[in-house]
Amino acid sequence: MPPRGGMPYEHKKVAPPKDFKDLFRYLKEVFGGFFTRFFYVVTLVWASGKWIMFLLSFIALFQGITPILGSLISKEILNELQNIISSGALPASQFWTSPILYLLIFFFSYQLLLRIVNNVSSALNQIAGEKVVQQVKLRIMEKSKRLDLASFDDASFYERMENANREAGHRPLQVLSETFGIVSTVIEFISFLTVLLSVPGLWWSAPTVVAVSIPSAVINYVYRNKHFRYLRWRSKERRQMHYYSELLVDKDKVKEVRLFDLADTFIGRYLSVFRTYYNGLRRLILQESVLHIVIALFSCATNLTFYALIAQKVFVGEIMIGDYTLFTGAILSVSNCVATLINRSGSIYEGTLFIDNLMAFLKEPSSVLSPAQPAPLSRGIGHRVEFKHVSFRYPGTDRDVLKDLNFVIEAGQTMVLVGLNGAGKTTLIKLLTRLYDPTEGQILLDGRDLKEYDLKSLYRIFGIIFQDFGKYAETVEENVRFGDIHRQPDPELMQNAVEQASAKDFVDRLPEGMNTPLMRIFEKNGIELSIGQWQKLAIARAFYSDSDVLILDEPTASLDPMAEQEIFHQFDRLREGKTTIFVSHRLSSATVADTVLVLENGRVEEMGHHDRLMEQKGKYYKLFTTQAERYRSQSAQN
Ligand code: ADP
């Protein structure tokens, strides 16, 4: 897919405060938005499994308490050793009854517990991660089922949906574990701060270490944000780079790239886009590292001062060696905690912004919906279709693709749609099948607006072959059965459908016949079909479906003339009693239709039976005779 503009990761921006009074509004919007998103994350994780919340709380408490516990035990061991050294060496046998041994046993029991909890928590975290991803993906898929097709045409919405799909899976758990991480960091911070405050005569080391750690943490945070914004800003370039590199390795594109000798051109374009992207990124990385070096000077000087002052206390016998390790360790822990707190808050906030994408996607309103009280829809009959002043434009565009269409297809009749590429034929079919609703006017089925029918029941009356029909990486049988998934699988009917679609010959030659897996995406023994063979399967789907209205949009475009002839013959049988709409470039098919509708630029140019339109000598006559002449001259040459 070609790269689209740089618009991903969009979320509602909060306008900065205009003055002091406006500050309240600003804070309310920022924090209000944050808490709404945060609450959503909590409900999401809760829905994925209540145990996840309990697990995360337990880990947070445990991880908050353990660092200080470890430091205190180490301190006791060192102090005990120092006591022994200062009272002169003892016989080796006394070691086994000394408190050191008990302290060591205690220390390693604590280490063992730490490892067990960390391992269990990491395993459970991974499992929880999978559960949350599944929950989010399910919500996205469930929502997609009801989403208007029009939403998929809106580039910015599509972008948001892709982001939600890609990001939202791991973000919720990340936000929540970071939040619990904050809880454990706060516990750790308070415990080590208390230790620092208790250093005799050096209580002021605590506020100084906190103050010195803030700039580095802030720079970290600011540059991570800058980095993130830079990547967002350069999103177009990143997509372009991806696009150019894909062009050279994509199986379908490599043919043209090779034959037209486009590889070096694309490599050149990749390099030029890369330079733009890389230059800005390099500047950011270097700036940040220079700032960190300056700050490191300050923090090293401060730490050196405190380490020296504490060492001096050991020197003069005021404190013991174990206290030295506890106090100096506390300096490092406090400054690490400050950095972690600032970074974690940033990443929680950032994580919740991604959740915005997901929430916006899940709240996207749908307009193509079933009514509360649907009208009954008869089955097994041909249906009458009427277009009344129907106009349509795709969302986000300013051009009517269909303009004031008025026509009727009587029940059981066949209409052929004729028109140049882009005339609006496929769009008309999308409206008739209620994939989209008209911008203006009404489409009636058996005298009632399409909107009055239950959507699922309505979809079920159509047997359709689209121009860009689906190719499913499933077995041949499944590809046919998807034509009517609600019917009890009927192998005989499927066989018949395959036969009617002239697909029997090639299906019989497949290694496992109807059970052959198609495409090589998942299965090593998957079979790749030609486009014409795929088209025959799409036709078989239509034959298998128990539909009342048959819609065929260029159903034979990829078939050879022999197969086309054969299938047209089968269509004649299939459409008996059914209302049929046919789009075909092969105008010979129009001769059998009850009505031919010629579309030009979204308007009805001509309409009527083939014979009458030929007599009129208008647009249709011109198209038909041009095509007939081409066939005549071709067969003459042959
Ligand atoms: P036809 O089937 O006659 O070749 P289509 O109905 O596919 O024509 O397209 C009619 C016009 O609508 C074309 O100009 C095409 O560019 C435009 N169009 C088709 N699909 C979309 C879409 N999803 N968003 C915007 N414009 C579209």
Side-chain angles (χ1 to χ4, degrees), residues 149 152-153 392-395 397 399 401-402 419-430 436 467 553 583 585 599:
L149 250 71
F152 290 83
D153 294 325
F392 180 74
R393 69 175 55 178
Y394 281 99
T397 65
R399 189 174 62 94
V401 170
L402 296 178
L420 301 179
N421 287 337
K425 304 180 293 291
T426 303
T427 308
L428 188 154
I429 285 170
K430 289 191 212 162
Y436 292 76
Q467 226 170 343
D553 187 358
V583 178
H585 277 123
L599 266 186

Coordinates of all heavy atoms in Angstrom, one line a residue, residues 149 152-153 392-395 397 399 401-402 419-430 436 467 553 583 585 599, ligand 1:
L149 N -18.6 0.8 5.9 CA -17.5 0.7 5.0 C -16.9 2.1 4.7 O -15.7 2.2 4.4 CB -18.0 0.0 3.7 CG -17.4 -1.4 3.5 CD1 -18.0 -2.3 4.5 CD2 -17.6 -1.8 2.1
F152 N -13.8 3.1 6.3 CA -12.5 2.5 5.8 C -11.9 3.5 4.7 O -10.8 3.4 4.4 CB -12.7 1.1 5.2 CG -12.9 0.1 6.3 CD1 -14.2 -0.1 6.8 CD2 -11.8 -0.6 6.8 CE1 -14.4 -1.1 7.8 CE2 -12.0 -1.6 7.8 CZ -13.3 -1.8 8.3
D153 N -12.8 4.3 4.1 CA -12.4 5.2 3.0 C -11.7 6.4 3.5 O -11.1 7.2 2.8 CB -13.6 5.6 2.1 CG -14.1 4.4 1.4 OD1 -13.3 3.5 1.0 OD2 -15.3 4.3 1.2
F392 N -24.6 9.8 -4.8 CA -23.6 9.4 -3.8 C -22.2 10.0 -4.0 O -21.8 10.2 -5.1 CB -23.5 7.8 -3.9 CG -22.5 7.3 -2.9 CD1 -22.8 7.2 -1.5 CD2 -21.2 6.9 -3.3 CE1 -21.9 6.7 -0.6 CE2 -20.3 6.4 -2.4 CZ -20.7 6.3 -1.0
R393 N -21.6 10.4 -2.9 CA -20.2 10.8 -2.9 C -19.5 10.1 -1.8 O -20.1 9.8 -0.7 CB -20.1 12.3 -2.8 CG -20.4 12.9 -1.5 CD -20.1 14.4 -1.5 NE -20.8 15.1 -2.6 CZ -20.7 16.4 -2.8 NH1 -19.9 17.1 -2.0 NH2 -21.3 16.9 -3.8
Y394 N -18.3 9.7 -2.1 CA -17.5 9.0 -1.0 C -17.1 10.0 0.1 O -16.9 11.1 -0.2 CB -16.2 8.4 -1.6 CG -16.5 7.1 -2.4 CD1 -16.6 7.0 -3.7 CD2 -16.7 5.9 -1.7 CE1 -16.9 5.8 -4.4 CE2 -16.9 4.7 -2.3 CZ -17.1 4.7 -3.7 OH -17.4 3.5 -4.3
P395 N -17.1 9.5 1.3 CA -16.8 10.4 2.4 C -15.5 11.1 2.2 O -14.5 10.4 1.7 CB -16.8 9.5 3.6 CG -17.1 8.1 3.2 CD -17.3 8.1 1.7
T397 N -14.7 13.3 0.1 CA -14.5 13.8 -1.2 C -15.6 14.8 -1.5 O -16.6 14.9 -0.8 CB -14.6 12.7 -2.3 OG1 -15.9 12.2 -2.3 CG2 -13.6 11.5 -1.9
R399 N -16.9 15.2 -4.8 CA -17.5 14.9 -6.1 C -18.5 13.8 -6.0 O -18.3 12.8 -5.4 CB -16.3 14.5 -7.0 CG -16.6 14.4 -8.5 CD -15.4 14.0 -9.2 NE -14.8 12.7 -8.8 CZ -15.1 11.6 -9.5 NH1 -15.9 11.6 -10.5 NH2 -14.5 10.5 -9.1
V401 N -20.1 10.8 -7.2 CA -19.7 9.7 -8.1 C -21.0 9.1 -8.8 O -20.9 8.7 -9.9 CB -19.0 8.6 -7.2 CG1 -18.8 7.3 -8.0 CG2 -17.7 9.1 -6.7
L402 N -22.1 9.2 -8.1 CA -23.4 8.9 -8.8 C -24.3 10.1 -8.6 O -24.4 10.7 -7.6 CB -24.0 7.6 -8.1 CG -23.3 6.3 -8.2 CD1 -24.0 5.2 -7.5 CD2 -23.1 5.9 -9.7
G419 N -20.5 0.9 -19.0 CA -19.9 2.2 -18.8 C -18.4 2.1 -18.8 O -17.9 1.0 -18.6
L420 N -17.7 3.2 -19.1 CA -16.3 3.2 -19.1 C -15.8 3.0 -17.6 O -16.5 3.1 -16.7 CB -15.7 4.5 -19.6 CG -16.2 4.8 -21.1 CD1 -15.6 6.1 -21.5 CD2 -15.8 3.7 -22.0
N421 N -14.5 2.7 -17.5 CA -13.9 2.6 -16.2 C -14.1 3.9 -15.4 O -14.0 5.0 -15.9 CB -12.3 2.4 -16.3 CG -12.0 1.1 -16.8 OD1 -12.8 0.1 -16.6 ND2 -10.8 0.9 -17.4
G422 N -14.5 3.7 -14.1 CA -14.7 4.9 -13.3 C -16.1 5.5 -13.4 O -16.3 6.6 -12.9
A423 N -17.0 4.9 -14.3 CA -18.3 5.5 -14.5 C -19.2 5.4 -13.2 O -20.1 6.2 -13.1 CB -19.0 4.8 -15.6
G424 N -18.9 4.4 -12.3 CA -19.6 4.3 -11.1 C -20.4 3.0 -11.0 O -21.2 2.9 -10.1
K425 N -20.0 2.0 -11.8 CA -20.8 0.8 -11.8 C -20.6 0.0 -10.4 O -21.6 -0.4 -9.8 CB -20.3 -0.1 -13.0 CG -20.4 0.6 -14.3 CD -20.0 -0.3 -15.4 CE -18.5 -0.6 -15.5 NZ -17.6 0.5 -15.7
T426 N -19.4 -0.1 -10.0 CA -19.1 -0.8 -8.7 C -19.8 -0.1 -7.6 O -20.4 -0.7 -6.7 CB -17.6 -1.0 -8.5 OG1 -17.1 -1.7 -9.6 CG2 -17.3 -1.8 -7.2
T427 N -19.7 1.2 -7.6 CA -20.3 2.0 -6.6 C -21.8 1.8 -6.5 O -22.4 1.6 -5.4 CB -20.0 3.5 -6.8 OG1 -18.6 3.7 -7.0 CG2 -20.4 4.4 -5.6
L428 N -22.4 1.7 -7.7 CA -23.9 1.5 -7.7 C -24.2 0.1 -7.0 O -25.1 0.0 -6.2 CB -24.3 1.5 -9.2 CG -25.8 1.4 -9.5 CD1 -26.0 2.0 -10.8 CD2 -26.4 0.0 -9.4
I429 N -23.3 -0.8 -7.2 CA -23.6 -2.2 -6.6 C -23.4 -2.1 -5.1 O -24.1 -2.7 -4.3 CB -22.6 -3.2 -7.3 CG1 -23.2 -3.5 -8.7 CG2 -22.5 -4.5 -6.5 CD1 -22.3 -4.3 -9.5
K430 N -22.4 -1.3 -4.7 CA -22.1 -1.2 -3.2 C -23.4 -0.5 -2.6 O -23.7 -0.8 -1.4 CB -20.9 -0.3 -3.0 CG -19.6 -1.0 -3.3 CD -18.4 -0.2 -2.8 CE -17.2 -0.2 -3.6 NZ -16.3 0.9 -3.4
Y436 N -23.0 0.8 1.5 CA -23.0 2.2 1.8 C -24.4 2.6 1.6 O -25.2 2.0 0.9 CB -22.2 3.0 0.7 CG -20.7 2.8 0.7 CD1 -20.1 1.6 0.2 CD2 -19.9 3.8 1.2 CE1 -18.8 1.4 0.2 CE2 -18.5 3.6 1.2 CZ -18.0 2.4 0.7 OH -16.6 2.2 0.7
Q467 N -15.5 -7.6 -8.5 CA -14.3 -7.5 -9.3 C -13.1 -7.9 -8.6 O -12.3 -8.6 -9.1 CB -14.2 -6.0 -9.7 CG -14.0 -5.7 -11.1 CD -14.1 -4.2 -11.4 OE1 -14.6 -3.5 -10.6 NE2 -13.6 -3.8 -12.5
D553 N -20.0 -8.5 -10.9 CA -19.3 -7.4 -11.3 C -18.0 -7.9 -12.1 O -17.1 -8.4 -11.4 CB -18.9 -6.6 -10.1 CG -18.2 -5.2 -10.4 OD1 -18.0 -5.0 -11.7 OD2 -17.9 -4.5 -9.5
V583 N -22.3 -6.6 -14.5 CA -21.4 -5.6 -15.0 C -20.4 -6.3 -15.9 O -19.8 -7.3 -15.4 CB -20.6 -4.9 -13.9 CG1 -19.6 -3.9 -14.5 CG2 -21.5 -4.2 -12.9
H585 N -17.7 -6.0 -19.4 CA -17.1 -5.3 -20.6 C -17.5 -6.0 -21.9 O -17.5 -5.4 -22.9 CB -15.6 -5.1 -20.5 CG -15.2 -4.0 -19.6 ND1 -14.4 -4.1 -18.5 CD2 -15.5 -2.7 -19.7 CE1 -14.2 -3.0 -18.0 NE2 -14.9 -2.1 -18.7
L599 N -24.0 3.9 -18.0 CA -23.6 4.9 -17.0 C -22.5 5.8 -17.6 O -21.6 5.2 -18.2 CB -23.1 4.3 -15.7 CG -24.0 4.0 -14.6 CD1 -23.2 3.5 -13.4 CD2 -24.8 5.3 -14.1
Ligands
ADP1 P1 -16.5 1.5 -12.2 O1 -16.9 0.3 -11.4 O2 -17.5 2.0 -13.1 O3 -15.1 1.3 -12.9 P2 -16.3 2.7 -9.6 O4 -17.6 2.7 -9.1 O5 -15.3 1.8 -9.1 O6 -16.3 2.7 -11.2 O7 -15.7 4.2 -9.3 C1 -16.4 5.4 -9.6 C2 -15.6 6.6 -9.1 O8 -15.5 6.5 -7.7 C3 -14.1 6.6 -9.6 O9 -13.9 7.9 -10.0 C4 -13.3 6.2 -8.4 O10 -12.1 6.9 -8.4 C5 -14.2 6.7 -7.3 N1 -14.0 5.8 -6.1 C6 -14.2 4.5 -6.0 N2 -14.0 4.0 -4.8 C7 -13.7 5.1 -4.0 C8 -13.4 5.3 -2.6 N3 -13.4 4.2 -1.8 N4 -13.2 6.5 -2.2 C9 -13.2 7.5 -3.1 N5 -13.5 7.5 -4.4 C10 -13.7 6.2 -4.9

